Amino acid sequence: MPAVSKGDGMRGLAVFISDIRNCKSKEAEIKRINKELANIRSKFKGDKALDGYSKKKYVCKLLFIFLLGHDIDFGHMEAVNLLSSNKYTEKQIGYLFISVLVNSNSELIRLINNAIKNDLSSRNPTFMCLALHCIANVGSREMAEAFASEIPRILVAGDTMDSVKQSAALCLLRLYKTSPDLVLMGEWTSRVVHLLNDQHMGVVTAAISLITCLSQKNPDEFKTCVSLAVSRLSRIVSSASTDLQDYTYYFVPAPWLSCKLLRLLQCYPPPEDGAVKGRLVECLETILNKAQEPPKSKKVQHSNAKNAILFEAISLIIHYDSEPNLLVRACNQLGQFLQHRETNLRYLALESMCTLASSEFSHEAVKTHIETVINALKTERDVSVRQRAADLLYAMCDRSNAKQIVAEMLSYLETADYSIREEMVLKVAILAEKYAVDYSWYVDTILNLIRIAGDYVSEEVWYRVIQIVINRDDVQGYAAKTVFEALQAPACHENMVKVGGYILGEFGNLIAGDPRSSPLVQFNLLHSKFHLCSVPTRALLLSAYIKFINLFPETKATIQEVLRCDSQIRNSDVELQQRAVEYLKLSSIASTDVLATVLEEMPPFPERESSILAKLKKKKGPGAVSVTDLEDSKREGGELNGGGDRGPDTSSTPSPSADLLGIRAGPPVGTAPTSAGSLLVDVFSEAGPAAPSAAVHDDGFLRFVCKNNGVLFENQLLQIGIKSEYRQNLGRMYLFYGNKTSVQFASFATTVSCPGELQKPQLNVQTKPVEPLVEGGAQIQQVLNIECLTDFSDAPLLNIKFRYGGALQNLTLKLPVTINKFFQPTEMSSNDFFQRWKQLSQPQQEAQKIFKANHSMDTEVLKAKLLGLGAALLDNVDPNPENYVSAGVIQTKGQQVGCLLRLEPNAQAQMYRLTLRCSKDSVSRRLCELLAQQF
Amino acid sequence: MITFVLMVNRQGQTRLCRYYQSINMSRRTALEANIVHTCLSRSRDQCSFVEYQESKVVFRQYAALYIAVGITEDENELSIYELVQNFVEVLDKYFSRVIMFNLDRVHIILDEMIQNGRIVETNKSNILAPLNALDKMADG
């Protein structure tokens, strides 16, 4: 059929289109368009009333002009007029114009709504479709108000034509999305689900989109769709392709419908009904089997349609994540595609495998394809495919292959497309941190990153490497050495200078012993970069210089000279000038002690969630890092975050058995004070006999539940003081060992151990060995870095051994690290408090104790204790002013535990009732136990 | 869902566009310019799926004509790739010459296949039914 005969003779339009097509330049096109717009405007404004045909022609021209990319600001009224035409083509152009060019001009919407209303009640199916389609396209609030109750009726009415049902389904979907409050669920909902059984495949196709959307919002109400969808899918998959007549596409039965059905099933968990599940598994197996069968056609359309279904089936298998057999088959299938000659299939296989890598059943199977994926990263000609390969490497990375993957990603970075470099840098940084077994590797990797892709290394990345170096003693010397070497390069990236300046400023002393990196050499090296750097970097370098003055007094004169020169002290940048002036003054007037205090080494950084990870999340949206999150939850945490095996020089977490051996050297445990607590009795009973002097002193322990500083232990020989500070899930505890005698303590050694449950590990405590000699009257200090991984009830033990006048002294103390130290106070109103209180109503979430007062019941004393607990003490919350309530969140590495506390004193009876409600029951119990001994 | 359907020729001129999410003219111009650029710079052995901002674009080339379909994450790429083929086959079946002169009818066909960003009909006879009825009425 020649198309010309079908045209309806809009000759003017054809002429106009030809003119445009013949335009040689953009300018000519614009000129022609402006001429036409003027013409149409004058026709619309003219005195002569236009007939339907002319209106249609001009509106059509406007549409065409809009299509070319020009805004149209008139003609709406004429389009609305066309809606009331009885001629289909005129009406259709009118609706098309409205659909494409609508603005929320309320006056027009009223007119449009009128026309729609007429068409909906016309019972002419083609008119009804146009009207429904228009609502679906515009979807404005006014339209929803006018038609939201009408559409469901049309959709499920028995006498509605199939084509109208299709439009109604998608129209309703639009209204539900834009104005869900106006689409009321009702009797029609169950009938909508049954459209899955409709004879007409087009109706099913349209209805699935609606049902999928409704199911996502109201899964329970629509869950009957699962079994219906499975049986429909099963009929399609198992049928010979001829059964479905025109819905078969290149010998593939109803590919689009199959995809949609499989997608709908992904809104739900695997079917509970065994029969339904069996049928579905059979379908999925059939789909996987078909992929291995010889193709029924050599046409690419055939294999594409078949593979579309296959990929959707694999998505469903991954979504269920419960059938190891199917997951492994899916992985093998994708593995075949990785080497397929069709780029599209390689791309999709990489993408799909990325999600598969996060399933514990298939993670290992995915890993077997590592070489292929690395090869893809190196050889794929299309950047989007390489990007997928990089994503997949990131997803399949674990401890076993981290070094290889990071190395490959780093070498890819050298040639990577600019568009993806920043993301690649973040990913390398995250993997390097997450799987760092030795931190020198981590430092090397990040410095390499800066070297290779310095411009793409965001602040988060170089902040992070500094945080880690500062928090980890064992890598500081190596880091200083490495940055020193990296800075030797004649042209090094400014980010390298920043990291170098910071690290040498803090830890330059660790390499100063080597004459090749003596203080002055270090300084000159840094300063040689100074003039090439931007203001923020210069500011950082100035701070590094003043730190140098503290670290190396011998550099003082040189540095002061630099600070004093005009380009510094009179710098036009206020920040630089201020730093130069202040640092110069500070270095001239402050005593060494003051200087040492002001310029002390940076304390460890408290924050633990990697800022880089946060950045990647922000960049890619929540889905992007799911793999990493999963790794955290399914595997034991990465070395950095939770790891047990540190470098050999950190004797902080020795194996518990070694510690028990220390305790074992002596008579039976029977002499241990009974107050030692059940946990310790357990430890001893396993450990066998213990020295009497090693009896655990825990009387100090309880005094520190509500305070952080003080004397933990004291006898005739030794005094142990504590200062501690906690932030989020991290803590730092300073222990001061004071020799009260005038005689030297020899072989002084301390060990910290985490007994019992703490080994899981719940706590991570690190420290360095102390000096073995403590002179008479002297005091030595030891720092413990504590990380709370999860909530805990036991306390770490501190064992101290030393020789005093030849006699071996052995002492074990319970360290006052209690779960409440990791409290973050939470302020809340009375309403909030009681609302949350009610939410935590499961019996095991509550712990309660009624006990006799052991200490003063004075209000101020109680308040001080509750404040010391760490939670926020809330005023005006409890209706009874005598009562105390507190709220806080306990921060552990893995989770946050919300805690609410209520203490009701009864002064008359000298009793308290203490109630704890926490989102985790073990925390409620532990806090209640601890606190009951405090009042 | 499908966010847009765009058809451009080798000269980079838009031949058909349909958006299923509201988009203002400046963003539309930028998007189309970008898509045209991407289309024209793609070679045959490159992948047909490209990430564009938050969505993905599925490309298919027919001689001098490029079709680009924007989709959100929850769409199946290959099925959209074949949907384009199906659309073109329908156009082929109905028209025998330049589709540009029959813009309204191309829109009717597209509307029969995709409504509100969702695939609504894939059966060629059903898609063409209204147009054929129209031609019979010849109400031009």
Side-chain angles (χ1 to χ4, degrees):
Chain A
M1 250 191 293
V4 194
S5 70
K6 285 179 197 160
D8 47 14
M10 289 193 283
R11 195 165 301 124
L13 178 64
V15 169
F16 174 57
I17 293 174
S18 293
D19 284 357
I20 294 287
R21 279 165 58 92
N22 293 332
C23 283
K24 292 276 183 293
S25 66
K26 194 80 193 161
E27 288 71 31
E29 186 185 304
I30 291 174
K31 210 171 146 197
R32 179 69 186 87
I33 285 169
N34 285 337
K35 186 179 152 203
E36 195 61 40
L37 284 174
N39 173 38
I40 299 171
R41 226 183 230 115
S42 73
K43 287 285 195 274
F44 283 169
K45 278 195 186 140
D47 311 328
K48 222 173 70 187
L50 294 173
D51 58 4
Y53 167 78
S54 311
K55 269 188 210 154
K56 179 181 86 168
K57 185 175 73 183
Y58 294 128
V59 169
C60 208
K61 280 184 180 174
L62 288 179
L63 264 175
F64 182 76
I65 294 170
F66 176 76
L67 165 100
L68 292 172
H70 301 265
D71 242 338
I72 300 295
D73 55 3
F74 68 102
H76 299 75
M77 202 58 215
E78 284 72 15
V80 171
N81 287 340
L82 285 175
L83 298 186
S84 43
S85 164
N86 279 325
K87 289 190 175 167
Y88 180 84
T89 51
E90 290 173 15
K91 201 185 267 291
Q92 187 254 337
I93 291 291
Y95 273 123
L96 184 58
F97 186 95
I98 304 287
S99 300
V100 171
L101 269 153
V102 84
N103 52 24
S104 42
N105 184 329
S106 58
E107 225 169 293
L108 275 182
I109 290 280
R110 209 166 37 79
L111 292 171
I112 297 167
N113 276 0
N114 265 334
I116 291 175
K117 200 166 279 168
N118 289 334
D119 283 333
L120 283 184
S121 50
S122 71
R123 313 201 59 77
N124 175 336
T126 47
F127 288 5
M128 286 174 88
C129 282
L130 285 177
L132 288 167
H133 202 178
C134 180
I135 303 173
N137 275 303
V138 179
S140 71
R141 186 81 195 166
E142 290 90 338
M143 282 190 177
E145 277 164 1
F147 303 110
S149 53
E150 174 81 0
I151 314 291
R153 209 185 44 71
I154 296 177
L155 176 59
V156 297
D159 57 349
T160 306
M161 298 274 293
D162 291 330
S163 60
V164 177
K165 277 188 190 167
Q166 289 172 279
S167 297
L170 291 165
C171 177
L172 188 57
L173 168 58
R174 175 61 185 257
L175 296 186
Y176 184 71
K177 285 209 134 173
T178 50
S179 311
D181 54 314
L182 294 176
V183 180
L184 303 171
M185 299 294 142
E187 175 260 346
W188 60 273
T189 39
S190 62
R191 299 180 59 183
V192 163
V193 176
H194 281 94
L195 288 177
L196 286 172
N197 267 337
D198 202 283
Q199 294 265 308
H200 190 279
M201 303 276 270
V203 172
V204 186
T205 307
I208 293 181
S209 291
L210 174 64
I211 296 167
T212 305
C213 175
L214 290 167
S215 303
Q216 281 161 347
K217 296 275 164 54
N218 327 277
D220 285 342
E221 276 181 70
F222 287 89
K223 65 170 178 256
T224 45
C225 73
V226 174
S227 59
L228 290 172
V230 170
S231 61
R232 188 91 212 198
L233 180 70
S234 156
R235 270 179 279 154
I236 297 173
V237 171
S238 58
S239 73
S241 51
T242 48
D243 297 357
L244 297 154
Q245 301 127 8
D246 287 344
Y247 284 90
T248 297
Y249 178 82
Y250 290 90
F251 305 102
V252 180
W256 294 282
L257 183 55
S258 306
C259 287
K260 280 187 163 196
L261 285 165
L262 288 162
R263 184 63 71 160
L264 169 63
L265 290 171
Q266 288 170 56
C267 302
Y268 287 92
E272 282 158 20
D273 182 329
V276 177
K277 188 170 181 191
R279 205 164 172 196
L280 179 56
V281 168
E282 211 173 285
C283 281
L284 294 171
E285 278 171 347
T286 311
I287 294 171
L288 286 167
N289 291 341
K290 279 188 181 170
Q292 301 299 332
E293 289 167 10
K296 293 195 180 110
S297 153
K298 286 209 168 100
K299 287 243 162 74
V300 67
Q301 285 86 341
H302 170 73
S303 60
N304 278 343
K306 210 164 84 170
N307 290 332
I309 301 172
L310 180 59
F311 275 109
E312 207 57 63
I314 291 175
S315 290
L316 182 63
I317 292 170
I318 297 171
H319 167 78
Y320 285 162
D321 197 13
S322 61
E323 299 282 330
N325 179 31
L326 288 177
L327 280 162
V328 171
R329 282 194 67 185
C331 186
N332 293 340
Q333 180 62 54
L334 294 177
Q336 284 183 18
F337 283 152
L338 285 183
Q339 319 228 24
H340 202 280
R341 63 190 161 77
E342 282 273 327
T343 315
N344 288 348
L345 290 183
R346 295 198 302 275
Y347 171 93
L348 293 172
L350 287 166
E351 185 179 61
S352 213
M353 225 181 222
C354 216
T355 43
L356 206 53
S358 58
S359 162
E360 60 179 322
F361 298 116
S362 50
H363 183 81
E364 288 304 316
V366 170
K367 273 169 65 186
T368 59
H369 299 286
I370 185 166
E371 296 303 334
T372 318
V373 181
I374 286 173
N375 196 39
L377 186 65
K378 285 178 176 160
T379 57
E380 280 291 348
R381 294 173 60 186
D382 186 336
V383 55
S384 26
V385 187
R386 291 197 297 274
Q387 167 89 62
R388 288 286 84 83
D391 285 351
L392 177 54
L393 283 179
Y394 179 74
M396 65 162 70
C397 191
D398 63 18
R399 206 168 302 174
S400 70
N401 55 21
K403 283 204 174 175
Q404 185 187 9
I405 286 178
V406 166
E408 292 294 347
M409 286 172 98
L410 267 177
S411 74
Y412 174 59
L413 251 182
E414 306 210 33
T415 52
D417 309 73
Y418 295 110
S419 55
I420 62 170
R421 283 195 181 185
E422 189 182 351
E423 197 186 312
M424 290 284 298
V425 166
L426 288 176
K427 287 185 167 166
V428 171
I430 290 167
L431 292 180
E433 176 182 334
K434 196 169 162 59
Y435 298 113
V437 178
D438 64 286
Y439 279 82
S440 46
W441 174 73
Y442 170 74
V443 170
D444 284 342
T445 305
I446 300 295
L447 294 185
N448 262 328
L449 257 188
I450 296 176
R451 215 173 357 236
I452 294 169
D455 282 342
Y456 299 90
V457 172
S458 57
E459 287 187 334
E460 285 82 356
V461 174
W462 73 263
Y463 287 174
R464 188 70 185 154
V465 68
I466 284 172
Q467 282 175 8
I468 286 174
V469 169
I470 285 181
N471 288 8
R472 303 202 48 102
D473 307 351
D474 50 335
V475 77
Q476 289 161 355
Y478 182 80
K481 182 168 157 284
T482 321
V483 288
F484 178 79
E485 280 161 10
L487 286 173
Q488 310 273 348
C492 62
H493 195 272
E494 186 158 340
N495 280 334
M496 187 73 86
V497 179
K498 287 179 180 161
V499 175
Y502 203 110
I503 287 183
L504 292 180
E506 295 292 333
F507 309 114
N509 55 328
L510 299 175
I511 55 167
D514 187 329
R516 285 166 300 178
S517 52
S518 71
L520 219 51
V521 175
Q522 288 184 38
F523 170 74
N524 286 333
L525 181 62
L526 278 181
H527 197 54
S528 69
K529 316 280 180 196
F530 187 89
H531 302 281
L532 302 169
C533 291
S534 63
V535 168
T537 309
R538 290 186 190 195
L540 187 151
L541 284 177
L542 288 179
S543 299
Y545 296 170
I546 185 75
K547 289 230 163 192
F548 264 54
I549 294 184
N550 174 46
L551 286 181
F552 317 116
E554 66 265 39
T555 60
K556 185 169 169 178
T558 320
I559 292 175
Q560 279 181 335
E561 204 175 307
V562 168
L563 293 174
R564 205 178 285 125
C565 78
D566 276 358
S567 62
Q568 305 294 357
I569 210 162
R570 294 188 209 284
N571 195 296
S572 61
D573 185 274
V574 182
E575 177 68 31
L576 291 182
Q577 190 187 86
Q578 186 174 0
R579 284 192 192 213
V581 171
E582 286 179 1
Y583 290 161
L584 183 60
K585 204 71 185 161
L586 180 67
S587 66
S588 338
I589 59 171
S591 68
T592 335
D593 283 355
V594 172
L595 211 56
T597 316
V598 174
L599 301 171
E600 203 184 354
E601 185 182 311
M602 290 296 286
F605 287 86
E607 151 294 330
R608 292 303 288 200
E609 196 212 4
S610 163
S611 49
I612 319 178
L613 204 56
K615 171 148 179 154
L616 186 68
K617 279 182 189 162
K618 210 165 71 191
K619 225 175 130 60
K620 290 286 275 188
V625 281
S626 57
V627 179
T628 324
D629 293 343
L630 175 120
E631 296 239 343
D632 279 340
S633 58
K634 285 200 180 164
R635 278 166 249 279
E636 53 182 306
E639 292 293 328
L640 180 74
N641 295 325
D645 41 345
R646 308 276 168 179
D649 61 331
T650 49
S651 56
S652 59
T653 43
S655 72
S657 59
D659 196 57
L660 291 176
L661 284 175
I663 300 171
R664 204 175 277 161
V669 66
T671 51
T674 45
S675 63
S678 57
L679 149 77
L680 291 165
V681 173
D682 286 344
V683 174
F684 283 116
S685 62
E686 269 175 35
S693 55
V696 173
H697 295 265
D698 72 343
D699 43 27
F701 176 80
L702 284 173
R703 283 185 287 114
F704 284 86
V705 170
C706 293
K707 65 173 184 177
N708 287 334
N709 306 326
V711 175
L712 177 66
F713 172 84
E714 188 160 12
N715 63 14
Q716 294 90 339
L717 306 176
L718 179 70
Q719 185 195 51
I720 303 176
I722 281 192
K723 237 173 86 179
S724 48
E725 54 201 33
Y726 293 87
R727 246 176 285 165
Q728 302 194 330
N729 71 324
L730 299 180
R732 176 174 263 215
M733 180 180 277
Y734 297 86
L735 293 167
F736 301 92
Y737 305 99
N739 183 345
K740 288 171 71 181
T741 69
S742 52
V743 184
Q744 186 187 63
F745 292 162
S747 313
F748 191 88
T750 65
T751 35
V752 179
S753 59
C754 291
E757 294 278 289
L758 289 178
Q759 291 168 33
K760 268 181 168 178
Q762 295 172 329
L763 269 193
N764 182 8
V765 186
Q766 294 179 53
T767 183
K768 277 190 187 169
V770 289
E771 291 297 314
L773 289 181
V774 185
E775 296 299 334
Q779 190 187 56
I780 60 164
Q781 181 191 332
Q782 185 177 26
V783 187
L784 306 184
N785 288 320
I786 303 159
E787 181 187 18
C788 173
L789 303 173
T790 170
D791 69 288
F792 60 95
S793 299
D794 304 340
L797 299 179
L798 171 70
N799 176 260
I800 303 154
K801 275 186 247 171
F802 59 93
R803 285 188 183 277
Y804 169 66
L808 182 68
Q809 305 289 325
N810 189 352
L811 184 70
T812 301
L813 299 170
K814 231 170 152 178
L815 278 174
V817 181
T818 47
I819 186 69
N820 62 295
K821 301 295 180 192
F822 304 96
F823 252 129
Q824 298 282 307
T826 316
E827 294 293 341
M828 58 177 80
S829 69
S830 177
N831 267 347
D832 286 348
F833 182 88
F834 284 105
Q835 198 188 345
R836 289 181 204 196
W837 185 265
K838 282 191 200 113
Q839 280 165 2
L840 296 169
S841 58
Q842 290 169 24
Q844 66 272 27
Q845 289 176 327
E846 180 178 288
Q848 194 174 64
K849 259 197 174 131
I850 298 170
F851 53 92
K852 224 172 162 45
N854 287 318
H855 303 277
S856 156
M857 289 184 81
D858 180 72
T859 317
E860 290 312 309
V861 176
L862 284 179
K863 273 190 179 170
K865 281 186 181 167
L866 285 168
L867 281 173
L869 178 70
L873 183 58
L874 305 174
D875 287 330
N876 304 323
V877 165
D878 199 296
N880 180 351
E882 300 292 308
N883 293 347
Y884 301 89
V885 293
S886 301
V889 173
I890 288 183
Q891 306 268 354
T892 73
K893 182 182 167 258
Q895 67 180 137
Q896 302 191 328
V897 183
C899 305
L900 301 176
L901 170 154
R902 195 175 191 195
L903 181 69
E904 299 159 273
N906 180 340
Q908 242 178 344
Q910 290 284 301
M911 298 280 283
Y912 291 101
R913 178 161 73 183
L914 173 68
T915 316
L916 263 303
R917 287 192 178 182
C918 305
S919 54
K920 199 167 175 187
D921 40 349
S922 50
V923 176
S924 297
R925 283 198 305 275
R926 179 57 181 162
L927 282 176
C928 194
E929 238 166 63
L930 281 172
L931 284 173
Q933 306 171 58
Q934 297 298 315
F935 300 103
Chain B
M1 69 177 281
I2 297 166
T3 53
F4 64 82
V5 175
L6 190 66
M7 212 187 260
V8 293
N9 65 10
R10 193 170 276 164
Q11 286 74 46
Q13 292 162 316
T14 305
R15 286 293 163 254
L16 172 78
C17 68
R18 193 67 204 263
Y19 292 85
Y20 298 100
Q21 281 175 342
S22 65
I23 180 167
N24 66 32
M25 187 52 84
S26 64
R27 277 197 55 205
R28 194 193 120 182
T29 318
L31 176 101
E32 286 176 17
N34 249 314
I35 302 276
V36 167
H37 176 77
T38 318
C39 281
L40 298 183
S41 60
R42 286 192 94 62
S43 63
R44 287 255 179 192
D45 62 352
Q46 275 184 301
C47 170
S48 311
F49 319 120
V50 174
E51 269 163 60
Y52 180 78
Q53 293 170 355
E54 262 94 79
S55 58
K56 235 179 220 171
V57 180
V58 176
F59 289 102
R60 195 150 184 170
Q61 185 184 350
Y62 295 93
L65 197 66
Y66 298 83
I67 297 179
V69 182
I71 53 170
T72 54
E73 214 181 332
D74 55 357
E75 245 351 303
N76 179 308
E77 292 94 342
L78 273 180
S79 84
I80 298 299
Y81 188 71
E82 285 311 315
L83 184 74
V84 171
Q85 171 72 18
N86 202 26
F87 176 52
V88 170
E89 286 178 13
V90 175
L91 294 181
D92 271 352
K93 195 168 167 188
Y94 185 75
F95 297 109
S96 57
R97 50 170 286 186
V98 191
I99 55 163
M100 221 176 143
F101 291 101
N102 294 285
L103 195 63
D104 49 339
R105 278 156 201 258
V106 176
H107 269 286
I108 294 178
I109 290 174
L110 189 59
D111 285 355
E112 287 300 321
M113 296 184 71
I114 304 172
Q115 281 181 27
N116 191 15
R118 266 82 178 186
I119 302 173
V120 63
E121 185 59 79
T122 58
N123 174 333
K124 294 190 185 83
S125 339
N126 288 357
I127 294 167
L128 288 176
L131 270 183
N132 289 333
L134 204 63
D135 292 331
K136 276 207 191 100
M137 286 192 292
D139 69 339

